[in-house]
């Protein structure tokens, strides 16, 4: 089985539950996941995995609104961790980034160039958690033939997105999903996944299984 390192943890979300749901989903396409909350420790040297997943909310929390939160949640990504991610991509590895990954690692100027976009305070925002209709776009192998779907989730809005990003799915006119080559590897970002209800939707599950196979440069042949 391919090996996946899920970098998890942070505030405002049940990351233990969503990371477990994601790990369970990926077993269906032959991927074995290890869930770790010590992001700096896990990336102190390049991990021997084919896939790295970021399902976390770890950033400096320098905004005034977060002044009262516990200091242990404030996070900066060490230089060796940045190098580990870039080395992973240089080796042709895959990087699966979920939901709040666009908020993570705000002390690293290169992270948005890896991910393809970022959450920018105070411009970026999201409506209240609730039902939303997701539109699927284009013929990329991850989404080819998939139907639009409804899901309970947050719609991240007004992200700063690089000009070369081509959305594979959107809601309320906001790009939510994209895939892109980076160095010798591949990156897939899915802004959905606030809680486990997002992983209950069969179309979303199919999209993520296909995304994992695409990241691993394997044939994408998963049907709804």
């Amino acid at each position: 089985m391919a090996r996946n390192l899920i970098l998890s943890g942070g505030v405002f979300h049940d990351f233990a539950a969503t990371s477990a749901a994601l790990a369970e989903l990926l077993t269906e396409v032959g991927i074995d996941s290890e869930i770790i909350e010590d992001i700096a420790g896990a990336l102190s040297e390049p991990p021997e995995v084919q896939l790295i997943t970021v399902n976390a909310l770890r950033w400096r929390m320098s905004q005034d609104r977060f002044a009262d939160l516990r200091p242990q949640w404030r996070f900066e990504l060490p230089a060796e961790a940045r190098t580990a991610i870039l080395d992973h991509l240089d080796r042709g590895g895959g990087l699966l980034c979920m939901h709040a990954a666009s908020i993570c690692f705000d002390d690293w100027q290169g992270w948005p160039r890896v991910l393809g976009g970022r959450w920018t305070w105070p411009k970026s925002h999201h409506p209240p958690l609730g039902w939303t209709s997701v539109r699927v776009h284009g013929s990329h192998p991850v989404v080819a033939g998939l139907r639009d779907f409804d899901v309970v989730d947050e719609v991240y809005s007004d992200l700063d997105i690089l000009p070369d990003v081509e959305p594979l799915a959107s809601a309320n006119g906001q790009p939510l999903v994209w895939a892109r080559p980076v160095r010798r590897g591949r990156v897939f970002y899915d802004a959905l996944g606030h809680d486990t209800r997002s992983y209950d939707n069969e179309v979303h599950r199919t999209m993520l299984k296909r995304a994992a196979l695409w990241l691993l440069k394997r044939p994408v042949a998963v049907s709804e």
Side-chain angles (χ1 to χ4, degrees):
M1 297 180 76
R3 297 182 61 204
N4 175 34
L5 175 64
I6 300 180
L7 305 174
S8 186
V11 294
F12 310 134
H13 300 73
D14 188 351
F15 286 111
T18 54
S19 291
L22 186 57
E24 180 274 328
L25 181 156
L26 294 178
T27 62
E28 298 177 17
V29 288
I31 298 172
D32 182 36
S33 299
E34 179 183 7
I35 301 170
I36 293 182
E37 292 196 0
D38 179 9
I39 294 176
L43 297 178
S44 59
E45 56 186 37
E48 295 182 0
V49 296
Q50 293 76 48
L51 184 63
I52 295 175
T53 297
V54 180
N55 183 48
L57 181 52
R58 304 301 304 275
W59 85 108
R60 287 179 294 181
M61 305 181 75
S62 57
Q63 297 77 21
D64 290 342
R65 71 183 74 182
F66 304 116
D68 295 332
L69 288 179
R70 291 176 293 176
Q72 60 263 40
W73 291 117
R74 306 183 192 279
F75 181 82
E76 294 187 2
L77 191 69
E80 58 268 24
R82 305 176 192 186
T83 299
I85 291 174
L86 295 177
D87 285 350
H88 174 74
L89 292 168
D90 277 334
R91 295 194 306 272
L95 185 60
L96 174 60
C97 301
M98 299 299 304
H99 195 50
S102 58
I103 305 176
C104 287
F105 313 152
D106 62 332
D107 59 314
W108 180 17
Q109 291 184 350
W111 178 240
R113 294 194 294 274
V114 170
L115 186 66
R118 65 175 178 175
W119 178 287
T120 301
W121 306 92
K123 184 185 77 170
S124 302
H125 60 98
H126 64 77
L129 178 70
W131 283 102
T132 188
S133 295
V134 178
R135 293 185 58 200
V136 178
H137 309 284
S139 58
H140 191 283
V142 172
V143 296
L146 292 184
R147 55 187 168 86
D148 298 344
F149 59 97
D150 295 333
V151 67
V152 176
D153 220 314
E154 293 174 338
V155 178
Y156 278 11
S157 303
D158 294 328
L159 301 179
D160 281 337
I161 299 173
L162 296 186
D164 64 342
V165 166
E166 297 184 7
L168 304 183
S170 63
N172 301 338
Q174 300 293 328
L176 296 180
V177 176
W178 58 79
R180 59 201 306 266
V182 177
R183 300 193 175 206
R184 294 185 178 89
R186 292 175 172 180
V187 175
F188 186 88
Y189 176 60
D190 180 355
L192 300 172
H194 174 80
D195 63 30
T196 57
R197 287 172 291 183
S198 186
Y199 296 98
D200 291 337
N201 182 278
E202 284 303 319
V203 182
H204 192 204
R205 290 175 66 87
T206 298
M207 180 188 296
L208 285 169
K209 286 185 280 189
R210 288 184 179 186
L213 293 171
W214 179 80
L215 289 167
L216 294 171
K217 301 178 181 176
R218 295 180 177 180
V220 176
V222 179
S223 302
E224 291 182 51

